[in-house]
Amino acid sequence: MSQDLIAQDILQQLVSFDTTSYKSNLALVDYVQEYLQSYGVDSQLVPDASGKKANLYATIGADSAHPERGGIMLSGHTDVVPVTGQDWHSNPFCLYEEDNKLFARGSADMKGFIALVLSRVPLMLAQPLQMPFHLAFSYDEEIGCVGVRGLLTLLEQLSVKPAMCIVGEPTSMEVVIGHKGKVSYKVDVTGHACHSGQAPLGVNAVDYAAQLIVYINNMAQQSALNGPFDHDYKVPYTTLHTGSIQGGTALNIVPNHCGFEFEIRYLAQQDPAPLVQQITDYAHHELEPKMQAVAKGTGINITQIASYPGLLIEPEARLVTYVKQLLNNEAHSKVIFGTEGGLFQQRLGIPTIVCGPGNIDQAHKANEYISLEQFELGGQFLDRLIADVAQP
Ligand SMILES: [Zn+2]
């Protein structure tokens, strides 16, 4: 069987595990662990607190290669986004080939990359690697890079950390040198209910939520006008956005609760903390005193949902030029989606790029697919990478 067919076979296995983020990924992780074991490769699991999910970390070539050189970490997430409410033409958990495309949830984002990496394990073992490869497969990436935190702790404790990292998110096999960071928050506005005929005696939670939302929107407009700017992005500045809101029960009741969620997607070179501070200051120093002057026990509670840092690596960095040379493609870009790459780079200081097969446009949607062409290109890249690492 050719390498590509073996990889397709593995992809078929990987997509058959429904690893939607809110579910367990252990069946998939067990499969990967057994697969690696069949080649004599040990792997380490980093479970979550519930024991229902785990990261997997494995090193190939630690005995024979030069471990002091750190090696190359190939990173991917095992979870996928939900298929609920999407109009799929085939079973999303069964790989289906048509028109030179492989359809399944996760085919592009990003079990395709993981399958390719696993299919190349025998090749890695057969070559005289000059430094090790590390496989780092996480869970709960899709809900804000949550699962990888345990893996970061493990990596932090290593005496020699990986020297570089390639995150195989779908970039159509182009080198991605940056993405924005993200912080997201849940806001609960507690008002004071009363009959709407006596509206001034109550505290209208919806009204106060609206004031805060408009304030956030004004900040978004300021950011668009004044920057800072990074013109490598299609939207070249930090964005602020409110994405959902719930409040009130009936028109003749002054609502005592309103909840909403907002996010800040910030340039990697910017610190989001002052922006968050500005919002919380407005809520606590401008709005809350007015609310509490009418009724005690009212107020605004702002809690963080998730956060991950941006990724930014210089175009001249060794890893960037190295991978470009292997790809025989000088292009690079920055992307709109987030990855675990910023955490590897910012928290651990590991030079990181994003480069993987498939197109993000096909991810997260019904009938997600990876083209056979992209799948093959991804495999060829890994073959070249492995051959190069095996060069004395
Ligand atoms: Zn992804």
Side-chain angles (χ1 to χ4, degrees):
M1 215 160 40
S2 81
Q3 289 255 292
D4 288 322
L5 284 178
I6 293 168
Q8 271 190 47
D9 217 49
I10 296 171
L11 181 55
Q12 162 66 58
Q13 295 289 330
L14 296 179
V15 301
S16 73
F17 302 108
D18 177 359
T19 52
T20 308
S21 304
Y22 65 88
K23 295 186 176 176
S24 170
N25 75 335
L26 288 187
L28 182 149
V29 161
D30 284 347
Y31 163 80
V32 174
Q33 196 160 39
E34 268 171 43
Y35 173 89
L36 292 172
Q37 197 56 63
S38 74
Y39 290 102
V41 175
D42 288 330
S43 54
Q44 200 174 338
L45 298 189
V46 186
D48 75 346
S50 75
K52 287 183 184 142
K53 297 175 186 180
N55 296 299
L56 181 142
Y57 189 73
T59 295
I60 296 165
D63 323 323
S64 50
H66 296 271
E68 76 281 2
R69 291 181 186 166
I72 300 175
M73 182 160 77
L74 301 171
S75 147
H77 62 83
T78 63
D79 60 320
V80 294
V81 295
V83 296
T84 327
Q86 297 183 338
D87 183 19
W88 281 77
H89 299 155
S90 60
N91 179 349
F93 301 106
C94 185
L95 199 67
Y96 169 73
E97 186 181 338
E98 196 180 289
D99 292 339
N100 295 316
K101 294 166 183 162
L102 300 169
F103 292 87
R105 171 54 85 229
S107 52
D109 186 13
M110 54 181 293
K111 290 175 175 176
F113 176 75
I114 296 178
L116 288 168
V117 169
L118 291 175
S119 74
R120 264 58 183 186
V121 167
L123 187 65
M124 292 176 191
L125 291 166
Q127 301 279 327
L129 298 180
Q130 299 300 303
M131 58 181 172
F133 280 103
H134 310 280
L135 315 189
F137 301 150
S138 69
Y139 62 91
D140 281 357
E141 189 271 349
E142 295 287 7
I143 55 171
C145 302
V146 174
V148 73
R149 312 295 162 135
L151 196 55
L152 295 178
T153 310
L154 175 95
L155 289 166
E156 251 163 2
Q157 289 158 359
L158 295 177
S159 54
V160 183
K161 291 183 192 51
M164 51 190 125
C165 173
I166 300 170
V167 179
E169 292 271 3
T171 67
S172 303
M173 291 313 298
E174 274 200 9
V175 173
V176 162
I177 60 166
H179 63 69
K180 292 178 183 176
K182 180 174 121 172
V183 282
S184 56
Y185 289 86
K186 179 178 181 290
V187 180
D188 283 291
V189 181
T190 304
H192 182 71
C194 70
H195 190 288
S196 62
Q198 297 177 316
L201 305 182
V203 177
N204 188 319
V206 169
D207 280 352
Y208 279 101
Q211 289 185 59
L212 190 52
I213 290 168
V214 168
Y215 186 80
I216 292 167
N217 183 258
N218 282 335
M219 288 174 66
Q221 293 180 43
Q222 286 302 316
S223 171
L225 279 174
N226 303 329
F229 298 104
D230 179 343
H231 290 284
D232 283 350
Y233 288 104
K234 204 171 172 184
V235 177
Y237 46 84
T238 293
T239 58
L240 298 91
H241 140 98
T242 299
S244 70
I245 183 166
Q246 305 83 34
T249 51
L251 187 55
N252 59 359
I253 302 172
V254 170
N256 68 352
H257 179 259
C258 186
F260 69 93
E261 293 179 353
F262 74 92
E263 64 170 30
I264 304 175
R265 289 183 183 258
Y266 60 95
L267 299 178
Q269 49 272 56
Q270 198 177 358
D271 177 7
L275 297 172
V276 177
Q277 191 63 48
Q278 199 181 328
I279 293 166
T280 52
D281 281 351
Y282 180 72
H284 297 318
H285 302 318
E286 292 284 332
L287 298 179
E288 270 186 346
K290 289 184 200 163
M291 298 168 77
Q292 288 163 1
V294 178
K296 290 212 179 352
T298 58
I300 299 171
N301 207 6
I302 302 176
T303 46
Q304 193 179 80
I305 301 169
S307 95
Y308 59 77
L311 173 71
L312 185 63
I313 183 166
E314 292 305 315
E316 301 78 26
R318 216 183 107 235
L319 172 61
V320 177
T321 52
Y322 174 61
V323 173
K324 280 182 178 178
Q325 179 206 325
L326 288 178
L327 290 168
N328 207 5
N329 182 355
E330 276 302 304
H332 65 249
S333 63
K334 293 179 183 167
V335 290
I336 53 140
F337 58 92
T339 74
E340 295 164 341
L343 286 163
F344 294 133
Q345 189 208 33
Q346 296 218 0
R347 228 180 97 180
L348 303 177
I350 300 173
T352 300
I353 58 159
V354 187
C355 182
N359 192 320
I360 197 71
D361 290 345
Q362 276 103 49
H364 295 209
K365 288 182 185 159
N367 307 309
E368 174 180 350
Y369 68 85
I370 185 167
S371 71
L372 280 176
E373 189 200 7
Q374 277 294 312
F375 200 58
E376 280 162 22
L377 283 174
Q380 286 163 13
F381 166 66
L382 289 174
D383 291 343
R384 255 173 269 139
L385 179 67
I386 295 162
D388 192 76
V389 170
Q391 290 270 337

PDB file of all heavy atoms in Angstrom, residues 175-179 230-234 269 311-313 332-336:
ATOM      1  N   VAL A 175       3.219  28.763   4.592  1.00  0.00           N
ATOM      2  CA  VAL A 175       3.756  29.102   5.904  1.00  0.00           C
ATOM      3  C   VAL A 175       2.978  30.277   6.490  1.00  0.00           C
ATOM      4  O   VAL A 175       2.851  31.324   5.863  1.00  0.00           O
ATOM      5  CB  VAL A 175       5.256  29.472   5.805  1.00  0.00           C
ATOM      6  CG1 VAL A 175       5.765  29.997   7.131  1.00  0.00           C
ATOM      7  CG2 VAL A 175       6.060  28.251   5.366  1.00  0.00           C
ATOM      8  N   VAL A 176       2.447  30.068   7.672  1.00  0.00           N
ATOM      9  CA  VAL A 176       1.735  31.129   8.381  1.00  0.00           C
ATOM     10  C   VAL A 176       2.591  31.571   9.560  1.00  0.00           C
ATOM     11  O   VAL A 176       2.998  30.756  10.388  1.00  0.00           O
ATOM     12  CB  VAL A 176       0.346  30.638   8.841  1.00  0.00           C
ATOM     13  CG1 VAL A 176      -0.219  31.537   9.922  1.00  0.00           C
ATOM     14  CG2 VAL A 176      -0.600  30.583   7.640  1.00  0.00           C
ATOM     15  N   ILE A 177       2.877  32.870   9.595  1.00  0.00           N
ATOM     16  CA  ILE A 177       3.812  33.381  10.602  1.00  0.00           C
ATOM     17  C   ILE A 177       3.105  34.170  11.710  1.00  0.00           C
ATOM     18  O   ILE A 177       3.743  34.664  12.619  1.00  0.00           O
ATOM     19  CB  ILE A 177       4.898  34.274   9.961  1.00  0.00           C
ATOM     20  CG1 ILE A 177       4.248  35.473   9.254  1.00  0.00           C
ATOM     21  CG2 ILE A 177       5.754  33.474   8.985  1.00  0.00           C
ATOM     22  CD1 ILE A 177       5.250  36.563   8.892  1.00  0.00           C
ATOM     23  N   GLY A 178       1.790  34.273  11.612  1.00  0.00           N
ATOM     24  CA  GLY A 178       1.120  35.005  12.684  1.00  0.00           C
ATOM     25  C   GLY A 178      -0.374  34.841  12.690  1.00  0.00           C
ATOM     26  O   GLY A 178      -0.990  34.538  11.661  1.00  0.00           O
ATOM     27  N   HIS A 179      -0.941  34.960  13.862  1.00  0.00           N
ATOM     28  CA  HIS A 179      -2.391  35.103  14.006  1.00  0.00           C
ATOM     29  C   HIS A 179      -2.663  35.943  15.237  1.00  0.00           C
ATOM     30  O   HIS A 179      -1.779  36.137  16.076  1.00  0.00           O
ATOM     31  CB  HIS A 179      -3.097  33.750  14.069  1.00  0.00           C
ATOM     32  CG  HIS A 179      -2.719  32.885  15.246  1.00  0.00           C
ATOM     33  ND1 HIS A 179      -3.070  33.183  16.537  1.00  0.00           N
ATOM     34  CD2 HIS A 179      -2.022  31.721  15.308  1.00  0.00           C
ATOM     35  CE1 HIS A 179      -2.619  32.229  17.339  1.00  0.00           C
ATOM     36  NE2 HIS A 179      -1.967  31.336  16.635  1.00  0.00           N
ATOM     37  N   ASP A 230      -1.465  46.184  11.618  1.00  0.00           N
ATOM     38  CA  ASP A 230      -0.554  45.207  11.023  1.00  0.00           C
ATOM     39  C   ASP A 230      -1.189  44.818   9.696  1.00  0.00           C
ATOM     40  O   ASP A 230      -2.161  44.065   9.659  1.00  0.00           O
ATOM     41  CB  ASP A 230      -0.396  43.990  11.937  1.00  0.00           C
ATOM     42  CG  ASP A 230       0.536  42.943  11.341  1.00  0.00           C
ATOM     43  OD1 ASP A 230       0.801  43.003  10.121  1.00  0.00           O
ATOM     44  OD2 ASP A 230       0.995  42.059  12.093  1.00  0.00           O
ATOM     45  N   HIS A 231      -0.627  45.362   8.623  1.00  0.00           N
ATOM     46  CA  HIS A 231      -1.282  45.220   7.317  1.00  0.00           C
ATOM     47  C   HIS A 231      -1.076  43.856   6.663  1.00  0.00           C
ATOM     48  O   HIS A 231      -1.551  43.630   5.554  1.00  0.00           O
ATOM     49  CB  HIS A 231      -0.878  46.374   6.397  1.00  0.00           C
ATOM     50  CG  HIS A 231      -1.479  47.673   6.860  1.00  0.00           C
ATOM     51  ND1 HIS A 231      -2.804  47.981   6.660  1.00  0.00           N
ATOM     52  CD2 HIS A 231      -0.954  48.699   7.578  1.00  0.00           C
ATOM     53  CE1 HIS A 231      -3.065  49.158   7.212  1.00  0.00           C
ATOM     54  NE2 HIS A 231      -1.961  49.613   7.774  1.00  0.00           N
ATOM     55  N   ASP A 232      -0.425  42.942   7.382  1.00  0.00           N
ATOM     56  CA  ASP A 232      -0.387  41.563   6.881  1.00  0.00           C
ATOM     57  C   ASP A 232      -1.755  40.892   7.052  1.00  0.00           C
ATOM     58  O   ASP A 232      -2.024  39.855   6.470  1.00  0.00           O
ATOM     59  CB  ASP A 232       0.658  40.733   7.648  1.00  0.00           C
ATOM     60  CG  ASP A 232       2.058  41.051   7.165  1.00  0.00           C
ATOM     61  OD1 ASP A 232       2.186  41.740   6.137  1.00  0.00           O
ATOM     62  OD2 ASP A 232       3.024  40.618   7.825  1.00  0.00           O
ATOM     63  N   TYR A 233      -2.606  41.512   7.892  1.00  0.00           N
ATOM     64  CA  TYR A 233      -3.946  40.950   8.114  1.00  0.00           C
ATOM     65  C   TYR A 233      -4.968  41.638   7.224  1.00  0.00           C
ATOM     66  O   TYR A 233      -4.861  42.846   6.968  1.00  0.00           O
ATOM     67  CB  TYR A 233      -4.388  41.154   9.563  1.00  0.00           C
ATOM     68  CG  TYR A 233      -3.672  40.291  10.566  1.00  0.00           C
ATOM     69  CD1 TYR A 233      -2.682  40.833  11.372  1.00  0.00           C
ATOM     70  CD2 TYR A 233      -4.009  38.961  10.718  1.00  0.00           C
ATOM     71  CE1 TYR A 233      -2.029  40.050  12.314  1.00  0.00           C
ATOM     72  CE2 TYR A 233      -3.359  38.170  11.647  1.00  0.00           C
ATOM     73  CZ  TYR A 233      -2.377  38.719  12.449  1.00  0.00           C
ATOM     74  OH  TYR A 233      -1.742  37.949  13.366  1.00  0.00           O
ATOM     75  N   LYS A 234      -5.964  40.875   6.824  1.00  0.00           N
ATOM     76  CA  LYS A 234      -7.071  41.436   6.063  1.00  0.00           C
ATOM     77  C   LYS A 234      -7.795  42.488   6.905  1.00  0.00           C
ATOM     78  O   LYS A 234      -8.179  43.550   6.408  1.00  0.00           O
ATOM     79  CB  LYS A 234      -8.033  40.299   5.691  1.00  0.00           C
ATOM     80  CG  LYS A 234      -8.873  40.583   4.486  1.00  0.00           C
ATOM     81  CD  LYS A 234      -9.612  39.310   4.078  1.00  0.00           C
ATOM     82  CE  LYS A 234     -10.626  39.603   2.999  1.00  0.00           C
ATOM     83  NZ  LYS A 234     -11.398  38.406   2.658  1.00  0.00           N
ATOM     84  N   GLN A 269       1.249  41.757  18.666  1.00  0.00           N
ATOM     85  CA  GLN A 269       2.188  42.734  19.225  1.00  0.00           C
ATOM     86  C   GLN A 269       1.518  43.660  20.228  1.00  0.00           C
ATOM     87  O   GLN A 269       2.153  44.545  20.786  1.00  0.00           O
ATOM     88  CB  GLN A 269       2.887  43.531  18.110  1.00  0.00           C
ATOM     89  CG  GLN A 269       1.986  44.115  17.036  1.00  0.00           C
ATOM     90  CD  GLN A 269       1.736  43.155  15.875  1.00  0.00           C
ATOM     91  OE1 GLN A 269       1.269  42.043  16.097  1.00  0.00           O
ATOM     92  NE2 GLN A 269       2.044  43.561  14.661  1.00  0.00           N
ATOM     93  N   LEU A 311       0.159  34.699  17.736  1.00  0.00           N
ATOM     94  CA  LEU A 311       1.419  34.135  17.246  1.00  0.00           C
ATOM     95  C   LEU A 311       2.075  35.161  16.342  1.00  0.00           C
ATOM     96  O   LEU A 311       1.405  35.784  15.514  1.00  0.00           O
ATOM     97  CB  LEU A 311       1.149  32.858  16.453  1.00  0.00           C
ATOM     98  CG  LEU A 311       2.351  32.235  15.720  1.00  0.00           C
ATOM     99  CD1 LEU A 311       3.335  31.622  16.714  1.00  0.00           C
ATOM    100  CD2 LEU A 311       1.894  31.171  14.741  1.00  0.00           C
ATOM    101  N   LEU A 312       3.364  35.341  16.535  1.00  0.00           N
ATOM    102  CA  LEU A 312       4.102  36.260  15.664  1.00  0.00           C
ATOM    103  C   LEU A 312       5.552  35.812  15.604  1.00  0.00           C
ATOM    104  O   LEU A 312       6.237  35.782  16.620  1.00  0.00           O
ATOM    105  CB  LEU A 312       4.016  37.692  16.206  1.00  0.00           C
ATOM    106  CG  LEU A 312       4.645  38.775  15.338  1.00  0.00           C
ATOM    107  CD1 LEU A 312       3.950  38.873  13.995  1.00  0.00           C
ATOM    108  CD2 LEU A 312       4.572  40.121  16.051  1.00  0.00           C
ATOM    109  N   ILE A 313       5.968  35.406  14.424  1.00  0.00           N
ATOM    110  CA  ILE A 313       7.364  35.023  14.247  1.00  0.00           C
ATOM    111  C   ILE A 313       7.900  35.824  13.065  1.00  0.00           C
ATOM    112  O   ILE A 313       7.180  36.068  12.087  1.00  0.00           O
ATOM    113  CB  ILE A 313       7.517  33.482  14.060  1.00  0.00           C
ATOM    114  CG1 ILE A 313       8.982  33.061  13.939  1.00  0.00           C
ATOM    115  CG2 ILE A 313       6.706  32.960  12.889  1.00  0.00           C
ATOM    116  CD1 ILE A 313       9.203  31.554  14.090  1.00  0.00           C
ATOM    117  N   HIS A 332       4.412  33.739   2.568  1.00  0.00           N
ATOM    118  CA  HIS A 332       3.936  33.536   3.926  1.00  0.00           C
ATOM    119  C   HIS A 332       2.762  34.477   4.172  1.00  0.00           C
ATOM    120  O   HIS A 332       2.551  35.429   3.424  1.00  0.00           O
ATOM    121  CB  HIS A 332       5.048  33.757   4.960  1.00  0.00           C
ATOM    122  CG  HIS A 332       5.540  35.162   5.017  1.00  0.00           C
ATOM    123  ND1 HIS A 332       6.790  35.542   4.594  1.00  0.00           N
ATOM    124  CD2 HIS A 332       4.935  36.301   5.438  1.00  0.00           C
ATOM    125  CE1 HIS A 332       6.930  36.837   4.747  1.00  0.00           C
ATOM    126  NE2 HIS A 332       5.814  37.336   5.263  1.00  0.00           N
ATOM    127  N   SER A 333       2.010  34.200   5.210  1.00  0.00           N
ATOM    128  CA  SER A 333       0.849  35.052   5.488  1.00  0.00           C
ATOM    129  C   SER A 333       0.510  35.002   6.974  1.00  0.00           C
ATOM    130  O   SER A 333       1.123  34.261   7.749  1.00  0.00           O
ATOM    131  CB  SER A 333      -0.353  34.578   4.657  1.00  0.00           C
ATOM    132  OG  SER A 333      -0.693  33.265   5.040  1.00  0.00           O
ATOM    133  N   LYS A 334      -0.460  35.808   7.337  1.00  0.00           N
ATOM    134  CA  LYS A 334      -1.039  35.748   8.680  1.00  0.00           C
ATOM    135  C   LYS A 334      -2.519  35.402   8.519  1.00  0.00           C
ATOM    136  O   LYS A 334      -3.126  35.780   7.509  1.00  0.00           O
ATOM    137  CB  LYS A 334      -0.864  37.084   9.403  1.00  0.00           C
ATOM    138  CG  LYS A 334       0.606  37.361   9.699  1.00  0.00           C
ATOM    139  CD  LYS A 334       0.834  38.684  10.386  1.00  0.00           C
ATOM    140  CE  LYS A 334       2.338  38.910  10.573  1.00  0.00           C
ATOM    141  NZ  LYS A 334       2.647  40.286  10.960  1.00  0.00           N
ATOM    142  N   VAL A 335      -3.066  34.702   9.483  1.00  0.00           N
ATOM    143  CA  VAL A 335      -4.421  34.171   9.297  1.00  0.00           C
ATOM    144  C   VAL A 335      -5.391  34.692  10.352  1.00  0.00           C
ATOM    145  O   VAL A 335      -4.980  35.201  11.407  1.00  0.00           O
ATOM    146  CB  VAL A 335      -4.423  32.628   9.321  1.00  0.00           C
ATOM    147  CG1 VAL A 335      -3.751  32.084   8.084  1.00  0.00           C
ATOM    148  CG2 VAL A 335      -3.780  32.095  10.592  1.00  0.00           C
ATOM    149  N   ILE A 336      -6.672  34.523  10.053  1.00  0.00           N
ATOM    150  CA  ILE A 336      -7.707  35.061  10.933  1.00  0.00           C
ATOM    151  C   ILE A 336      -8.026  34.126  12.097  1.00  0.00           C
ATOM    152  O   ILE A 336      -8.638  34.542  13.064  1.00  0.00           O
ATOM    153  CB  ILE A 336      -9.021  35.324  10.162  1.00  0.00           C
ATOM    154  CG1 ILE A 336      -9.454  34.056   9.413  1.00  0.00           C
ATOM    155  CG2 ILE A 336      -8.891  36.489   9.214  1.00  0.00           C
ATOM    156  CD1 ILE A 336     -10.914  33.800   9.443  1.00  0.00           C
TER     157      ILE A 336
END
